[in-house]
Amino acid sequence: MTKRPLRIRSLGSQLKNSEGNNVNTSLVLAYYGDDFTGSTDALEFLSRAGVKTALFIEPPSPERLATYQNLNAIGVAGMTRSMTPDAMEKTLRSAFTDLRKLGTRHVHYKVCSTFDSSPTMGSIGKAIDVGQDVFQKNFVPLLVAAPSLGRYCVFGNLFARMGIGSAGTIYRLDRHPSMSKHPVTPADESDLRLHLAKQTDKKVGLLDILQVVKSQDAIQNFVTSLLQDNAEIILFDALYEEHLLPIGELMDSYAHPQNPLFSVGSSGVDMALGKYWNHYQVFAPVTSWPDPRKAAPMLVLSGSCSPVTSGQIDWAKENGFAEVILNAQQIHDDSAVNRLTDYVQRTVSEINQERSVIVHTAGNVAKPGTTLSSEKLGTALGEIAREIVGQTSIKRVVVAGGDTSSYAARAMGIEAVEMIAPLVPGAPLCRATAPSSPLDGVEVNFKGGQVGAENYFGVLLEGRVF
């Protein structure tokens, strides 16, 4: 039953631009990320697999896509993790329809590897419902495990390491010190089937860890039995890296450019497909990357409230980084037209003295009864970055915080990013394409709150792990 995939020259498709002319592509996958940092995570693992990928802020038109040479995959960095189900419905129906027109074999809705979602915010169930309606496949694969990131799914229950790219302790998700206390979507259930049942009426079947280790034919037969039992979503367990290859093989067997497979999950989806394509030499994995080298001084902007990021900020301050603290109430109120000018001037002054700088709220909050939204904070951070890069010789910018990064990237004027090199798993160093913005060509790094060891900002400054 197992068959080798088509070679890359026959995996491509044809697009037509507005004049009706053909635009040649070799796209095999398109993904839509529910936030920016998670989208760069998927970018990294596709790029590592040799799948040339660009991550866009909005779905690109055929004409714009044609200006990016030799792409095999594209991503779109969305903001649906911080949207209500009604807003998600409108946004995703349009985005999925656009991505389906690209003629890829796969369309992936990329979610956080800690499955951040609830019935009222960032509902993964809503994304599945919309995707199934647009793509009309007989089931939706769901793969959340990403072993290389410290995310494991066993008998349907998700476990997560404290921090990505660290040696932190592994916890069941509902007992995770950070995720169980998430300010917007606290994890109160580790069984992803029960978690999803609050967000969609679709029946979830499980390909558990005992089935994943069997032959491909046995896996296929088990999936067939789940479908016969009316499963509409199939959740895949995975504990070790080697478990991803058979999952990727199974998923690709259901994919076709004229009828793409719609899947949902973490970057484990991209790892699984990448391993499968590498195994059959459709793509050659990239094993060496250019040395990014040190980029001092460096600008860091943080909207993360994670204890992991807080520890990284403390480390950076102890190791020579200057600190500029934002007034959360001022950002919330939009109280002055030039409310960001002081922060920009103070940061530029430090940079001119060759000091790397971290701009953040230091945990201060708006007045009681108000909340500083991700949109306001992220937009402010992006505007600050744009001004500072325009006034200095900064070549590398780091943004911390999943929800705020989505807004920051837009305020920075970024159109797309492409990976330069992996430094920490799940948060690659990238180069920005940002027409009409000072950040065009600047090196950027977007990290989720859980990503990295204590010396994360030092690693990014030096351009190497030390």
Side-chain angles (χ1 to χ4, degrees), residues 402-418:
D403 295 334
T404 51
S405 288
S406 297
Y407 294 102
R410 285 162 171 77
M412 290 157 75
I414 293 176
E415 175 183 276
V417 298
E418 295 181 70

Side-chain angles (χ1 to χ4, degrees), residues 2 33 37 53 67 110-111 135 221 237 286 313 376 412 415:
T2 301
T37 56
T53 306
T67 66
K110 200 281 177 187
V111 303
F135 292 95
N221 290 337
D237 273 356
V286 179
I313 291 173
K376 285 193 173 183
M412 290 157 75
E415 175 183 276

Side-chain angles (χ1 to χ4, degrees), residues 208-222:
D208 67 43
I209 198 70
L210 300 180
Q211 302 299 324
V212 169
V213 298
K214 294 182 178 179
S215 70
Q216 188 64 210
D217 284 343
I219 292 173
Q220 181 68 67
N221 290 337
F222 191 81

Side-chain angles (χ1 to χ4, degrees), residues 34 80-85 88 109 116-125 185 199:
D34 67 356
T80 46
R81 196 172 85 176
S82 57
M83 289 184 183
T84 63
M88 292 178 70
Y109 181 67
D116 301 26
S117 61
S118 78
T120 59
M121 188 65 64
S123 171
I124 295 171
T185 53
Q199 302 176 20

Side-chain angles (χ1 to χ4, degrees), residues 15-165:
L15 298 179
K16 289 183 180 294
N17 61 21
S18 58
E19 286 76 38
N21 299 318
N22 287 333
V23 179
N24 291 317
T25 71
S26 297
L27 295 178
V28 297
L29 181 146
Y31 68 90
Y32 187 98
D34 67 356
D35 76 348
F36 201 96
T37 56
S39 299
T40 61
D41 170 18
L43 168 68
E44 173 180 350
F45 289 102
L46 287 168
S47 299
R48 283 176 178 267
V51 183
K52 184 173 172 55
T53 306
L55 173 62
F56 292 85
I57 296 293
E58 302 290 347
S61 66
E63 292 87 352
R64 194 62 195 150
L65 187 58
T67 66
Y68 290 77
Q69 299 299 310
N70 304 315
L71 292 181
N72 307 125
I74 68 159
V76 178
M79 299 184 290
T80 46
R81 196 172 85 176
S82 57
M83 289 184 183
T84 63
D86 286 345
M88 292 178 70
E89 166 88 33
K90 181 178 179 180
T91 299
L92 291 179
R93 189 167 296 280
S94 174
F96 289 161
T97 300
D98 287 342
L99 295 181
R100 180 167 186 164
K101 293 175 184 178
L102 296 179
T104 66
R105 293 174 64 80
H106 296 268
V107 174
H108 169 208
Y109 181 67
K110 200 281 177 187
V111 303
C112 183
S113 60
T114 45
F115 218 63
D116 301 26
S117 61
S118 78
T120 59
M121 188 65 64
S123 171
I124 295 171
K126 170 59 73 173
I128 290 174
D129 290 345
V130 175
Q132 178 69 345
D133 190 47
V134 170
F135 292 95
Q136 294 289 310
K137 299 291 278 193
N138 60 345
F139 78 101
V140 177
L142 175 62
L143 174 59
V144 185
S148 67
L149 299 180
R151 307 294 188 248
Y152 315 96
C153 193
V154 183
F155 297 108
N157 285 268
L158 186 61
F159 295 78
R161 187 182 297 280
M162 185 66 176
I164 295 175

Side-chain angles (χ1 to χ4, degrees), residues 235-253:
L235 171 63
F236 297 103
D237 273 356
L239 182 58
Y240 299 114
E241 285 286 305
E242 56 264 32
H243 294 155
L244 297 179
L245 173 58
I247 295 172
E249 183 166 357
L250 175 79
M251 289 176 60
D252 200 64
S253 71

